[in-house]
Amino acid sequence: SVQICRIRIKGMTCTSCTTTVESVLQGIHGVQTAQVALATEEAEIRYDPKIVSHNQLMEAIDDTGFEAILIS
Ligand code: 9UX
């Protein structure tokens, strides 16, 4: 199955930050696509909720040093 969640990410100041977060998300088992936008401070993640939870996605973002806030 597929689900899409959007997460606000606080603290990113450059495109290198967004690339780091994208790479981390894309490397998580169960994540199909992940896009991170600097301008909107948002990540849009397509994932299989049977494999990975949105809480795990948020924890992975927090572990990169940025703050993750669930939008939807
Ligand atoms: Mo560079 Mo972006 O250290 O926050 S990765 S500024």
Side-chain angles (χ1 to χ4, degrees):
S1 52
V2 176
Q3 193 152 330
I4 294 174
C5 77
R6 293 190 307 132
I7 297 172
R8 172 133 303 125
I9 304 172
K10 292 288 182 187
M12 298 187 299
T13 56
C14 73
T15 53
S16 183
C17 299
T18 63
T19 302
T20 298
V21 177
E22 264 180 4
S23 298
V24 166
L25 290 169
Q26 287 166 358
I28 297 172
H29 181 55
V31 171
Q32 290 151 0
T33 63
Q35 291 159 304
V36 178
L38 182 60
T40 56
E41 302 184 309
E42 276 184 31
E44 185 175 281
I45 306 158
R46 182 183 300 259
Y47 66 104
D48 185 340
K50 290 177 178 173
I51 299 175
V52 64
S53 69
H54 66 251
N55 284 322
Q56 286 175 295
L57 300 176
M58 305 231 299
E59 277 170 26
I61 293 168
D62 281 327
D63 286 346
T64 65
F66 302 109
E67 186 190 356
I69 301 159
L70 188 63
I71 301 170
S72 64

